[in-house]
Structure formats: C-alpha cells, structure tokens
C-alpha cells in the first residue's frame, strides 16, 4: 500500500460520503444519475466476487463491502425513498445501461479467451471495462442541467481524483515492486476513465478560480 | 498484503 493508492481510496470514500450528504442536505435527487450508481453497483459486485474465494487483507475486504453497501444504499434511496424518488428525473437520465453492459461483456469475453481466464477473472475484467464508462450517465445528466450544484460537482471531482491517483499508484508500483504484474487492460481503462473527467475538471477549476456558478457549456 | 498487481487493488 503506497500513499497514492491510499489517497485514491480515501478520495473514493470521500466522494461517496459527499453524494450521500448531498442527497440528505438538498432533500432531492436533482442532477444525480441513478444509472451511474447502478453501473457502479454492477462494477463492484462483479469485481469483488473474489471476496468469496480469497482473502487479501482486512482493509481490502472492508473497503469492498463498504463500496457495495453504500452504492446499494444510494440506489435504494433514489428508487424507493421519498423525497428522492419523486425528485429524481428519469427523463433526464436516459442512458441505456445495455449500451455499456453488452460491449463491456463482449470485450471481457474476448480478453478472457485470449488470456485463458476463469469465471471470476472474466467478471473481474468485465468490471474493469465497465468502470471506465460508468460515469458517462452522470456526465450526460450534468450536461443537461447545465448549472452544476456545488456538492454534485465535488462528488465528481473526488471520483475523478480517485482515478487520477490510481494512475500515480501504478507508476509508483512499477518502479518500486520488483515483480509487479503489469496489466495493460487495467492501465488503458484507467487512462480512458481519467480522460473522461478531463473536460469536467477544466470547468470545475475554472469555476473555482473565477468564482460564481459552475456551469457547463451546452 | 499479498501482491498480485492490479488484482490486489480496489
């Protein structure tokens, strides 16, 4: 465990706390994408299947359970609990999940076939591909609302920071671990995912620097 | 912590 990885994980936890706080404080689900949360839940459930077969560390297991549990709780709130259910605007969150799920599954099957992976690795690879695009529905919703609420903006910022820090973590590990296993699929997806946040970061920092409302160009 | 590249990450 290095400082970049730990900071990345904490940034991820922090983003989830901010989203929960945002729902609680604003008492609505305006501008929050349920589709992104559902994609993240699928990502976590498929990636952490190894919870059932092997133990890495207490830290790893606890974080995995925390990610699955908190994301499931957010989905439950938006889907079934008031005032979130009635304020969630389904028509703005129109991303079709199958457009992300099917290509990722096909890619994961091809990758697994080439690498001779088993069942658990197939789902692990699927989750790597899916995580890269899981933020897309949320970015689309933001684009439609145009003006970005502070807390929603911070949520996406910390989620993006988590991915950026993971890239630094890989660089650090590549230099410091003698037999570090390079996984180029993971690297490629990590870069794609971070790149998706680049545009958001640009406007986020611009709004922080100049003050005033944070809005995205339409 | 067992080390296995990206698989021991989150």
């Amino acid at each position: 465990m290095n400082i970049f990885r730990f900071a990345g994980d904490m940034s991820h936890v922090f983003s989830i706390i901010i989203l929960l706080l945002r729902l609680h404080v604003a008492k609505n689900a305006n501008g929050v994408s349920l589709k992104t949360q559902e994609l993240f839940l699928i990502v976590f459930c498929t990636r952490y299947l190894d919870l059932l077969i092997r133990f890495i560390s207490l830290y790893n297991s606890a974080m995995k359970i925390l990610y699955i549990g908190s994301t499931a709780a957010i989905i439950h709130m938006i889907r079934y609990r008031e005032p979130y259910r009635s304020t969630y605007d389904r028509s703005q969150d129109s991303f079709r999940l199958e457009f992300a799920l099917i290509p990722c599954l096909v890619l994961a099957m091809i990758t697994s076939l080439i690498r001779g992976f088993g069942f658990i690795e197939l789902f692990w690879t699927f989750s790597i591909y899916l995580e890269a695009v899981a933020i897309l529905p949320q970015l689309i919703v933001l684009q439609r609302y145009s003006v970005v609420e502070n807390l929603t903006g911070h949520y996406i910022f910390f989620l993006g920071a988590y991915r950026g820090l993971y890239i630094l973590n890989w660089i650090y590990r590549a230099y410091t671990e003698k037999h570090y296993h390079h996984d180029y699929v993971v690297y490629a997806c990590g870069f794609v995912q971070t790149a998706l946040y680049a545009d958001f970061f640009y406007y986020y920092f611009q709004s922080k620097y100049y003050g005033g409302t944070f809005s995205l160009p339409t | 912590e067992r080390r296995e590249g990206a698989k021991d990450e989150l």
Side-chain angles (χ1 to χ4, degrees):
Chain A
M1 173 78 74
N2 60 65
I3 185 70
F4 301 112
R5 153 100 195 270
F6 184 69
D9 289 346
M10 288 306 113
S11 183
H12 193 182
V13 172
F14 200 53
S15 75
I16 294 170
I17 293 171
I18 291 173
L19 182 59
L20 281 164
L21 194 72
R22 185 241 162 266
L23 289 169
H24 184 74
V25 169
K27 298 267 181 282
N28 66 53
N30 295 341
V32 176
S33 168
L34 177 64
K35 299 286 172 65
T36 279
Q37 298 306 315
E38 288 173 339
L39 286 176
F40 275 129
L41 186 61
I42 297 169
V43 166
F44 297 143
C45 288
T46 49
R47 184 171 308 167
Y48 302 153
L49 280 174
D50 68 348
L51 270 174
L52 307 170
I53 55 152
R54 68 189 187 128
F55 178 79
I56 297 169
S57 67
L58 190 62
Y59 173 84
N60 258 43
S61 299
M63 294 296 262
K64 287 172 179 176
I65 292 165
L66 180 74
Y67 291 160
I68 293 171
S70 57
T71 308
I74 290 166
I75 291 171
H76 179 83
M77 281 170 80
I78 300 175
R79 273 198 172 178
Y80 306 111
R81 299 282 293 273
E82 294 299 345
Y84 314 106
R85 196 182 68 86
S86 52
T87 52
Y88 164 63
D89 191 348
R90 207 168 293 271
S91 66
Q92 297 290 317
D93 193 18
S94 53
F95 188 89
R96 303 266 304 259
L97 292 187
E98 57 270 32
F99 288 171
L101 296 174
I102 295 169
C104 289
L105 189 61
V106 171
L107 275 175
M109 285 162 105
I110 295 168
T111 312
S112 299
L113 211 63
I114 294 168
R115 291 181 169 183
F117 272 179
F119 189 72
I120 292 206
E121 281 100 343
L122 168 69
F123 283 105
W124 180 83
T125 311
F126 167 71
S127 81
I128 296 290
Y129 286 123
L130 191 62
E131 190 187 355
V133 294
I135 196 64
L136 280 177
Q138 180 63 71
L139 293 176
I140 292 167
V141 169
L142 275 197
Q143 196 74 247
R144 291 186 175 162
Y145 274 78
S146 183
V147 174
V148 182
E149 258 183 328
N150 261 332
L151 283 172
T152 310
H154 298 330
Y155 165 67
I156 298 167
F157 171 78
F158 281 103
L159 213 50
Y162 145 65
R163 291 318 301 183
L165 286 161
Y166 255 64
I167 292 178
L168 298 179
N169 154 62
W170 296 327
I171 295 169
Y172 183 86
R173 289 186 74 171
Y175 278 104
T176 55
E177 287 174 33
K178 220 174 179 179
H179 302 290
Y180 184 64
H181 173 73
H182 293 282
D183 191 318
Y184 295 102
V185 168
V186 170
Y187 293 163
C189 290
F191 279 104
V192 167
Q193 193 178 355
T194 309
L196 288 179
Y197 289 90
D199 184 60
F200 170 85
F201 276 153
Y202 174 78
Y203 293 104
Y204 182 84
F205 284 118
Q206 209 172 41
S207 80
K208 291 285 162 271
Y209 186 76
Y210 294 109
T213 51
F214 173 20
S215 55
L216 296 170
T218 46
Chain B
E1 182 161 337
R2 256 176 63 192
R3 293 188 177 279
E4 254 191 84
K7 279 193 185 145
D8 61 30
E9 290 168 356
L10 292 167

